[in-house]
């Protein structure tokens, strides 16, 4: 049995090496950044969140906090295998990496590690995006250099920063993606779901304010401005819609408001460690609630928390630790979060606006078990009639 595991690990390592060699020679598709995302013919858009891979050097990087029976042959390749399995099982429309994609302190070659970390997503040819955590820049690359490399990889829709805000916005990896209505529907050219990706930084640079970083005023200004612009477009002709299209926000470091929940009052999931938020509250939670379009926030950072909790109409959700070189809890399976957004079905069978937002998690066990399925948000029954 041990020999089989060893052969499997070597085979995966060989395949990954071949893939990475091809990746270095492959040109980035010119259409990658211009690809329009839309709901499928089934009226569904599925997102896979991968939180905290902590990828380092592949087969030579050992796993953290696994069972004794797993230690001998466990490495970064287990993270790679898990990602390939869950992508094949879920077939998402978008893969979102929410930071600490690599563990910079242990990385020998930042380019190779980044390429290897994202390799299963790239191989799947599914659109994917990434934001940064607090460990991605801890090798030879700055945060800007890490994002500069990421945006050049195949099939990614990641952006360093929005062009209209690049001169003032803090951080690297702030951007928005619009998900258009289903093809052949009245909303096929209108964004009915808006995704916000925000750089929550790494560590505080303010004297006497130690700890983790936070989402700055400039980023909140960009979010507010972008949200209002998207609402104007949603309400505009042709096919004007009432209200505002729902949104989802992804970043790495949790907001202080995550402290509001434990295993008892969370809607689903568990708390097994504290919330490692910034020591100051920059008010982003209040900004999100005031705008009202974002229905759920998804973060990583605290690997053995995987709960969702609702506060003032906003869902706060952890992804749960994904990577095997990241700290975890022996016997508590690594996991990924899936989010599915469904459309309303209108007259004559055509798809309309967003009906609901659901989520569940996949465990890295024998059966890729599905746990903690829940509805995060439903539209009002008398709301948003497509004209």
């Amino acid at each position: 049995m041990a020999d089989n595991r060893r052969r499997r690990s070597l085979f995966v390592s060989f395949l990954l090496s071949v893939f990475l060699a091809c990746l270095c020679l492959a040109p980035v598709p010119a259409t990658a950044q211009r690809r329009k995302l839309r709901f499928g013919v089934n009226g569904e858009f599925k997102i896979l969140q991968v939180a905290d891979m902590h990828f380092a050097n592949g087969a030579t990087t050992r796993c953290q906090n696994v069972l004794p029976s797993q230690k001998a042959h466990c490495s970064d390749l287990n993270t790679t295998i898990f990602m390939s399995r869950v992508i094949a099982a879920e077939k998402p429309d978008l893969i979102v990496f929410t930071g600490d994609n690599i563990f910079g302190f242990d990385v020998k070659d930042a380019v190779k590690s980044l390429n290897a970390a994202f390799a299963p997503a790239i191989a799947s040819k599914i659109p994917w995006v990434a934001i940064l955590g607090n460990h991605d820049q801890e090798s030879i690359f700055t945060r800007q250099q890490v994002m500069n490399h990421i945006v050049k990889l195949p099939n990614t829709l990641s952006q360093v920063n929005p062009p209209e805000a690049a001169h003032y916005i803090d951080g690297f990896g702030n951007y928005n993606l619009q998900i258009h209505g289903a093809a052949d529907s009245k909303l096929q050219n209108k964004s009915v779901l808006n995704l916000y990706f925000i750089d929550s930084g790494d560590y505080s640079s303010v004297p006497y304010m130690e700890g983790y970083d936070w989402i700055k005023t400039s980023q909140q200004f960009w979010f507010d401005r972008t949200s209002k612009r998207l609402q104007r477009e949603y309400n505009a002709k042709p096919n004007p819609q009432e209200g505002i299209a729902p949104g989802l926000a992804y970043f790495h470091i949790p907001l202080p408001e995550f402290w509001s929940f434990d295993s008892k009052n969370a809607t689903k999931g568990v708390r097994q460690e504290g919330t490692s938020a910034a020591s100051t509250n920059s008010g982003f939670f209040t900004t999100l609630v005031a705008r009202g379009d974002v229905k759920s926030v998804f973060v990583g950072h605290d690997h053995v928390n995987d709960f969702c909790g609702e506060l003032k109409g906003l869902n706060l959700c952890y992804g749960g630790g994904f990577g095997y070189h990241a700290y975890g809890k022996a016997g508590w399976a690594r996991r990924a979060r899936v989010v599915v957004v469904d459309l309303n079905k209108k007259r004559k069978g055509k798809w309309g606006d967003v009906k609901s937002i659901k989520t569940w998690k996949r465990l890295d066990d024998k059966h890729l078990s599905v746990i903690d399925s829940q509805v995060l948000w439903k539209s009002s029954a008398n709301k948003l009639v497509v004209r």
Side-chain angles (χ1 to χ4, degrees):
M1 189 67 169
D3 288 341
N4 288 339
R5 284 198 299 267
R6 188 179 294 108
R7 282 195 293 269
R8 183 185 183 193
S9 178
L10 290 171
F11 181 64
V12 171
S13 183
F14 170 74
L15 289 180
L16 185 60
S17 299
V18 172
F19 174 76
L20 293 176
C22 296
L23 175 62
C24 294
L25 299 173
V28 179
T31 57
Q33 295 289 354
R34 299 194 297 271
R35 187 182 304 189
K36 181 179 284 190
L37 298 177
R38 67 170 64 256
F39 280 78
V41 294
N42 60 349
E44 179 181 287
F45 192 86
K46 182 184 288 188
I47 303 169
L48 172 66
Q49 179 191 2
V50 176
D52 298 273
M53 287 190 290
H54 281 231
F55 203 93
N57 306 301
T60 60
T61 299
R62 310 318 300 169
C63 298
Q64 302 287 329
N65 304 120
V66 294
L67 295 170
S69 60
Q70 297 174 290
K71 284 185 178 179
H73 306 292
C74 189
S75 72
D76 272 340
L77 298 185
N78 289 67
T79 303
T80 300
I81 293 167
F82 178 29
M83 195 188 309
S84 297
R85 292 177 70 214
V86 76
I87 289 172
E90 289 289 357
K91 299 177 177 60
D93 300 293
L94 179 69
I95 304 167
V96 177
F97 296 92
T98 51
D100 283 2
N101 308 298
I102 61 172
F103 190 69
F105 280 131
D106 291 346
V107 163
K108 294 178 181 178
D109 185 318
V111 169
K112 287 183 179 179
S113 293
L114 285 165
N115 291 351
F118 300 123
I122 294 170
S124 73
K125 295 183 169 51
I126 294 169
W128 62 275
V129 295
I131 50 178
L132 302 182
N134 53 293
H135 290 304
D136 292 284
Q137 79 293 338
E138 290 171 342
S139 62
I140 60 169
F141 278 179
T142 65
R143 295 178 72 78
Q144 183 173 7
Q145 288 172 326
V146 173
M147 282 307 301
N148 284 344
H149 180 74
I150 287 173
V151 300
K152 294 175 184 176
L153 292 173
N155 304 321
T156 188
L157 299 176
S158 306
Q159 299 174 37
V160 176
N161 270 328
E164 74 278 6
H167 62 290
Y168 70 78
I169 198 165
D170 284 283
F172 302 97
N174 304 285
Y175 51 101
N176 159 253
L177 289 181
Q178 301 177 34
I179 315 301
H180 292 76
D184 299 324
S185 73
K186 290 185 177 181
L187 299 179
Q188 64 178 339
N189 294 317
K190 194 177 286 284
S191 179
V192 297
L193 175 70
N194 297 306
L195 307 181
Y196 301 94
F197 305 97
I198 300 171
D199 181 11
S200 54
D202 49 13
Y203 304 97
S204 171
S205 59
V206 178
Y208 311 110
M209 293 181 65
E210 297 180 353
Y212 292 107
D213 214 341
W214 55 86
I215 295 170
K216 307 296 196 303
T217 302
S218 65
Q219 296 167 290
Q220 297 184 49
F221 175 77
W222 166 79
F223 162 76
D224 186 73
R225 197 173 188 178
T226 303
S227 174
K228 289 174 179 175
R229 173 180 57 79
L230 292 169
Q231 181 174 7
R232 289 193 298 271
E233 294 173 1
Y234 191 66
N235 300 152
K237 295 180 180 180
N239 300 308
Q241 301 300 294
E242 298 175 2
I244 187 168
L248 306 174
Y250 289 87
F251 44 91
H252 181 71
I253 298 174
L255 302 172
E257 285 78 9
F258 274 76
W259 272 114
S260 303
F261 303 101
D262 55 30
S263 297
K264 294 180 180 178
N265 66 358
T267 51
K268 292 280 187 179
V270 297
R271 175 188 285 282
Q272 301 179 108
E273 63 176 311
T275 289
S276 298
S279 60
T280 185
N281 193 325
S282 68
F284 190 46
F285 176 84
T286 300
T287 299
L288 290 168
V289 171
R291 275 303 300 148
D293 57 336
V294 171
K295 306 306 178 186
S296 295
V297 162
F298 301 97
V299 302
H301 194 52
D302 302 322
H303 306 174
V304 295
N305 292 338
D306 73 344
F307 64 78
C308 284
E310 185 179 349
L311 183 64
K312 295 185 178 180
L314 179 62
N315 292 284
L316 303 178
C317 297
Y318 278 108
F322 188 97
Y324 278 86
H325 186 49
Y327 77 83
K329 184 178 179 181
W332 196 70
R334 265 59 175 188
R335 59 203 58 211
R337 181 171 290 281
V338 179
V339 174
V340 173
V341 185
D342 289 306
L343 297 177
N344 278 304
K345 203 157 201 178
K346 300 299 180 180
R347 291 186 294 272
K348 299 181 181 179
K350 295 291 185 179
W351 294 112
D353 57 344
V354 171
K355 175 185 178 182
S356 65
I357 302 169
K358 299 177 290 188
T359 187
W360 58 80
K361 285 165 294 200
R362 284 274 192 173
L363 305 185
D364 189 19
D365 58 17
K366 181 179 179 181
H367 302 290
L368 284 176
S369 301
V370 174
I371 65 167
D372 292 343
S373 181
Q374 65 182 116
V375 176
L376 295 174
W377 179 81
K378 279 186 177 181
S379 64
S380 301
N382 58 352
K383 184 185 172 190
L384 298 178
V385 177
V386 177
R387 297 168 182 167

